[in-house]
Amino acid sequence: MTSRSRHPGDSAGQAVPGTASAELLRSEPGSRPRALLLSAGLVSAGAVALAAGALLPVIQGGSPGFTAAPLLVVLALAPAAAVLYAVVTGRSGLAAGLVLGLTALAPGRLLLDLQLLADGSLAARPELFLADRLLALPPAGPGLWPLVAGHLLTLAAGAFAAGAARDEAELAGELDGRRRWRLLGPVLGVAGGVGLLLAPFGSGNAYLLAKNAFEGPTVALAGYLLLAALLPLTALVAVSSPSAEVGKGGFAGAGLAALAVGVPPVIAGLVVDRLSVAPGSVVVTVAGLALVGLAFTRFDVAEAGEAVTGDMAGEAKLPGLFWWRLATGGLALLAAAAATAGALAPVLKANGPAPAPETPARWLLLGAAVVLAVPALFVFVPRLSAFARGVVAATWAGVVLAGAAVLSAALSVTEDKAVDPALFGVDLPVPLPDKVGFSAGPGVTWTFIALVLAAVAALAAVITGVVERDVSDDDNAELDTGLDGTRAGGNVLTPLVAAAVLAIAAFGTPVFTAPGYTAPGLWSDFGAASWGLLGALAVVLGLYALVPRSRPAAAASALAGAALVLGLRAAELPLVGSEYDGSSAGIGFWLALAGAVVTLVTAGMAVAGARRAG
């Protein structure tokens, strides 16, 4: 029985430990308590299997790069010990949250281990296997199957814990408005997700190259992408849980799972010869530790025994809103500055006397920086902050759109560059000719930093919107948020559908055509730049989906931001197409312009309809 359980009808932050429904949930010999015990048992069995897999060779005839078994055993058993402690002490919500946090990251971890089965020679897992010679498709060893079983048992445990978590949420009632430190969880999740996509360590070993997720093998790429997506999503679900105990458990479970992925590469970089620590695994480790630390913070007013009444409640919340707005605007400006540096700095460096080419996509990145920076400046203006924040929540996608095009150009030129074997400690009987080709320049680094900052700024903008809504609802006034109690309603559904169709077509068809130029697409010629198209389209469609349930000012700001993203898509014609001889407007240019116009008209209809309804 937790002190935070309460009926939906009770006021937020008031515990009701003696209610009949709460006691029934915990004492009856029904499915929920038994399911939670079964879930804890499955997690424990999975932890034992993971520990066993760490003690056995995962590749036949292979061995790890260092004595990692004690570390891996601790990382495997610690989450199960936490779940069992929560069950024994009667904190069912904490136990359910822990299991769900572990379960959320289990599919990605499973795929990382399955890379050892697909081709262990390409797996960057020195804690489990480090080759000392060239190998082609080495056979899996006996240690791989306990690892797979451990992840599958963890997934099964989550299915049984979900019901207990749902019951805890129903007993908790509505989410307390004062969310405090828990709002940092999704930010840490995004940071950890970015770290998962970076190279886990630096390498001077010819048999273990340091590659980021996109340069690595396919199965591992799928695992890292899944982890990078589910880590912030799990933190966001934990934030939104009405039960403080479930939220804490979600943070702790996700953090412990992240540590299991991030800590081994850090240790390998410290102790293995020719390996070095890289920022990616450090970021994952710090994010995991911070998420676990959030589980020890106060999640709501009830835990501190505080009473929130009258003006004192508003005074407690407003500083939080100020700081979140400051973070949103500051992060967006930093992202714009990094994008500007990425556009102006050299994207490629020549390894020989030949000059390095420049990608025309840099001008689109510069345009994306401007589109993001202008609304970010108005976030600091109190009367316009809410509207500008909504625009920033959309225009960060422009950095994704342009940044992916810049990185794609760099990858296409550098992927076949020559490598100096001496850098990897390999002696060849016949010397190779001088290195030729190109390598990534500082523009690539700044572009990647811009992508990271833009994603974090977007998340900060979303959280700021949540805080704005809490302040407006609790004080029953608009304050300076520009929000009222109505919604955009269904009068905008028809133009929204039309705008969505136009957006899909605009991002799926070329903005310009030129002799010898093949535009990246969504349905054909899918490449690295296509991920930017897909990401920007997903943001625009997501904003369209939220409009009918949003308040008019929020709907208008989101639609204005979406229109700017569509406008940036159309701007590829003058910014990028002008660099190609014989370029002309493609169908995507006209579709993007039409989508932007329809989106702006929809924004006007949302505001006008609300005024008529009022």
Side-chain angles (χ1 to χ4, degrees):
M1 179 63 204
T2 67
S3 61
R4 263 70 62 191
S5 299
R6 57 183 179 267
H7 283 301
D10 295 332
S11 60
Q14 296 178 353
V16 285
T19 57
S21 59
E23 296 301 328
L24 179 63
L25 175 65
R26 288 159 177 77
S27 60
E28 70 167 355
S31 59
R32 292 297 188 233
R34 291 178 180 175
L36 191 57
L37 289 175
L38 180 58
S39 177
L42 289 171
V43 164
S44 301
V48 172
L50 292 173
L55 298 173
L56 300 172
V58 296
I59 296 295
Q60 290 185 17
S63 61
F66 64 103
T67 307
L71 171 67
L72 298 179
V73 169
V74 170
L75 291 174
L77 297 181
V83 173
L84 291 175
Y85 170 79
V87 172
V88 170
T89 56
R91 303 177 68 178
S92 57
L94 180 63
L98 275 163
V99 174
L100 292 178
L102 294 168
T103 300
L105 271 64
R109 295 178 61 190
L110 174 62
L111 288 174
L112 294 185
D113 288 343
L114 287 178
Q115 179 59 53
L116 295 164
L117 179 63
D119 189 350
S121 65
L122 300 179
R125 303 293 298 278
E127 73 277 14
L128 295 174
F129 170 67
L130 181 60
D132 55 2
R133 62 189 184 278
L134 291 176
L135 297 172
L137 297 176
L144 178 60
W145 309 115
L147 294 178
V148 172
H151 297 311
L152 294 177
L153 287 170
T154 304
L155 285 170
F160 290 99
R166 184 168 56 250
D167 288 341
E168 289 287 331
E170 292 175 355
L171 287 171
E174 295 184 357
L175 181 64
D176 194 305
R178 299 181 63 186
R179 307 183 186 193
R180 294 186 177 182
W181 294 103
R182 73 166 78 180
L183 292 176
L184 293 176
V187 177
L188 294 170
V190 169
V194 171
L196 288 164
L197 300 178
L198 299 177
F201 43 74
S203 177
N205 189 322
Y207 306 115
L208 182 61
L209 300 182
K211 296 182 178 181
N212 60 44
F214 297 99
E215 296 173 329
T218 303
V219 179
L221 169 61
Y224 282 121
L225 288 176
L226 199 57
L227 287 170
L230 290 178
L231 182 58
L233 180 60
T234 304
L236 189 60
V237 172
V239 165
S240 61
S241 174
S243 169
E245 290 284 270
V246 173
K248 287 184 175 186
F251 281 154
L256 290 171
L259 288 175
V261 177
V263 171
V266 173
I267 303 302
L270 292 173
V271 302
V272 179
D273 187 33
R274 295 187 180 276
L275 296 187
S276 59
V277 178
S281 55
V282 173
V283 171
V284 176
T285 301
V286 172
L289 289 172
L291 284 171
V292 174
L294 281 179
F296 294 92
T297 60
R298 297 186 306 185
F299 263 43
D300 55 23
V301 182
E303 291 183 300
E306 302 170 356
V308 181
T309 57
D311 295 335
M312 293 181 62
E315 292 175 1
K317 294 175 185 177
L318 286 175
L321 177 58
F322 167 78
W323 288 111
W324 278 111
R325 285 178 170 175
L326 182 65
T328 299
L331 287 168
L333 289 176
L334 288 174
T340 301
L344 300 180
V347 175
L348 298 172
K349 294 187 301 183
N351 294 330
E358 293 292 346
T359 170
R362 69 189 188 278
W363 302 120
L364 183 64
L365 183 59
L366 186 61
V370 174
V371 169
L372 178 61
V374 171
L377 290 172
F378 289 99
V379 172
F380 301 107
V381 181
R383 299 295 300 178
L384 300 176
S385 181
F387 188 89
R389 187 269 314 158
V391 177
V392 168
T395 53
W396 73 279
V399 176
V400 176
L401 174 66
V406 170
L407 295 179
S408 173
L411 287 174
S412 64
V413 175
T414 61
E415 61 185 2
D416 295 325
K417 68 178 181 180
V419 178
D420 186 359
L423 295 177
F424 299 96
V426 177
D427 297 324
L428 297 179
V430 180
L432 290 178
D434 292 338
K435 292 185 296 177
V436 295
F438 305 96
S439 58
V444 171
T445 302
W446 283 112
T447 300
F448 191 85
I449 292 173
L451 290 171
V452 174
L453 290 173
V456 178
L459 184 58
V462 172
I463 295 175
T464 304
V466 174
V467 178
E468 286 174 348
R469 193 179 187 98
D470 286 342
V471 172
S472 179
D473 286 342
D474 293 345
D475 291 346
N476 195 26
E478 295 183 17
L479 297 177
D480 61 348
T481 63
L483 301 174
D484 55 36
T486 63
R487 299 185 184 275
N491 63 313
V492 297
L493 287 179
T494 299
L496 269 180
V497 172
V501 173
L502 289 171
I504 294 172
F507 284 102
T509 54
V511 170
F512 67 91
T513 58
Y517 171 76
T518 301
L522 295 178
W523 301 286
S524 61
D525 300 307
F526 195 94
S530 301
W531 288 105
L533 295 172
L534 189 61
L537 176 60
V539 171
V540 170
L541 294 179
L543 292 171
Y544 288 159
L546 293 175
V547 163
R549 298 180 56 83
S550 300
R551 302 179 185 185
S557 64
L559 290 171
L564 286 174
V565 176
L566 286 166
L568 185 65
R569 170 65 172 164
E572 289 186 37
L573 174 61
L575 294 177
V576 181
S578 60
E579 297 285 322
Y580 294 88
D581 295 331
S583 63
S584 59
I587 185 64
F589 172 76
W590 304 108
L591 291 170
L593 285 181
V597 171
V598 173
T599 301
L600 289 175
V601 171
T602 307
M605 293 176 60
V607 175
R611 288 178 177 174
R612 287 195 301 269

